[in-house]
Amino acid sequence: MYQVIARKYRPQSFAELVSQEHVKTTLDNAIHQQRIAHGYIFSGQRGTGKTTVARIMARCLNCVSGPTATPCGTCASCREITAGGAVDVIEIDAASNRGINEMRELRESVRFRPARDRYKVFIIDEAHQITNEAFNALLKTLEEPPEWVVFILCTTETHKIPTTIASRCQQFTFRSVEFAELVARMEWICKEEGITAEPEALAVLAQAGEGSVRDSLSALDQAIACCGTHLKAEEVRALLGLFGLDALDQVVGSVERADATRMLEIVAELERSGANLQHFCRELARHWRNLLVARIAGAGTRLIAASPNEQQRMAELGARFSEEDLTRYLQITLDVFRDLQYSLQPRLHMELGLLKLVHAAKLTTIEDALAGLGPAPAPVPQAAPPRQAPPTPVADAPPWDAAPKPVAAPPKPPPPKPAAVEPGTLKARMHTALSEAGLTFTADGIESSLVNEGATEVEIVAPEELELSLNEKELQQFLIKLGVQKRLRIRFQASVDAGPSKPQAKSNSDDEVTTRAMAHPMVKRFQETFKDSQVRQVRNLKE
Ligand SMILES: Nc1ncnc2c1ncn2[C@@H]1O[C@H](COP(=O)(O)OP(=O)(O)O)[C@@H](O)[C@H]1O
Ligand SMILES: [Mg+2]
Ligand SMILES: [Zn+2]
């Protein structure tokens, strides 16, 4: 008869148990010192060894050569416990036997000495599921337990165990099992089973287990059933409904090359293959996260659940981006993931999201720009001594007043522009309404567009690249909501100067400071670096 791997390889001794060192040592000591408690609570994630340890404990207590931390495994007690038929080891699944009657029976049974063995061990699985009445019945026995009784309550939810019970028990918390330990356990089992596996395949299975040995082993079972005696990573990924690393890498590559066209093709391919876009997005987020962690912690970190090869590859990939960039991509991807949960148009959201990644990639970070402001590339031939050393670190920049008076008359600088969205205007009202409705993409779009309100018509002049995010019908509805009964039209054009057209009047002295500031070499370089930047305000620090 075929036995599932998880059951076939249930550890029979502490030595075989993976992880849970603190549980092993404490129980080992307790047994050596003959200090056996009457009640234990084993809590922790599913599939981490609670039931397993409870049975090992029963063997330790009842083995003919016991009590011992290393039961023989061959005596009648040991064998019967493994097979699940020992008279003095009673397993109760509280999920199905949660009633008072069962507990009453249990209370009766507790009163009698063990039939053959040293202890009567009650293992109560899913203990949080027993009813209050049943807990009360249990409490009675725990208050005055006969010397031969040991209760082991196993639960994934300790907080549901009444404190009156918990305070009479010793508690052990089972930890989620680490990725490397899961992989090692599966490697060993595969060898026993005569199965070969690509390291990456086992990594994927371990990852799927999310800290639960049982879940990893169930996935392993499934993989063997599907792929046979040699497990290939790509097949296993597909089996678990994961996307090929290939697709994820292509997104990363397109971000790196700022290739918007390829990005849209990727979405089209995903759609064509019937992929769930939200799943894809979640995996993409996980991928960015891993690249970010690899970038920060380097290859070989325990913080990434992946094989050494894969980690190496991630570290190399991550090194091509800055930490800030990766953080930004992760954030954007998480936003898209969230949006996709409610979206009736997943494809559009996905496209928009991936395009945002491409755009984000094009943005220079302020740090990079400032670093670039360092020693200016010499505008004069190398041989000539620099007329004036350019200010190197930004912090040391002289105040505006100390700026050298320009030798030649500087070209008239553009007047400083106030904030792009002036309060009170129709544009501002639309911006607020859209933001409040959660349409942040659209709100951002309005911010960088011109809004011209005519007698019968409202015209929006928007930059071309916003064609995807501004929807005429949607905006028309917002206008009506704002009480503006005018027809709305959107025009898209290559570049839009979204600032209000009327420059603010400035006093003479302000003008002079402004002129000097605008002529400052650092300001000029800043403007060259940030092509579309505006100087919105010049403050005289002397004032
Ligand atoms: N710590 C562990 N070491 C080795 N195998 C484990 C461990 N935890 C769980 N397993 C495997 O998972 C299966 C289920 O474990 P179990 O003890 O029933 O988990 P729990 O009771 O915590 O849900 C076991 O049969 C065993 O194969
Ligand atoms: Mg269990
Ligand atoms: Zn034994």
Side-chain angles (χ1 to χ4, degrees), residues 63-65 71-75 78:
C63 175
V64 277
S65 56
C72 72
T74 50
C75 71
C78 283

Side-chain angles (χ1 to χ4, degrees), residues 22 165 177 186 201 221 225 228 252 257 265 275 327 364 377 456 467 512 540:
H22 58 301
I165 303 266
V177 177
M186 283 192 285
D221 253 326
V252 176
R257 296 187 311 274
E265 281 167 12
T327 312
T364 322
T456 58
E467 275 203 59
E512 205 217 305
N540 189 343

Side-chain angles (χ1 to χ4, degrees), residues 14 23 27 39-45 48-58 123-128 151-158 161 169-174:
F14 287 133
V23 178
L27 289 179
Y40 291 95
I41 294 178
F42 291 172
S43 65
Q45 200 196 336
T48 49
K50 299 181 294 295
T51 309
T52 304
V53 172
R55 291 195 187 155
I56 295 176
M57 186 70 180
I123 300 175
I124 307 183
D125 234 327
E126 311 293 336
H128 58 274
F151 282 102
I152 304 178
L153 309 185
C154 303
T155 177
T156 46
E157 291 166 74
T158 14
I161 307 275
C169 297
Q170 281 189 16
Q171 293 203 38
F172 291 90
T173 309
F174 284 60

Side-chain angles (χ1 to χ4, degrees), residues 75 186 285 299 345 405 474 529 534:
C75 71
M186 283 192 285
Q345 307 256 16
K405 295 258 173 187
E474 192 174 71
T529 313
Q534 307 169 350

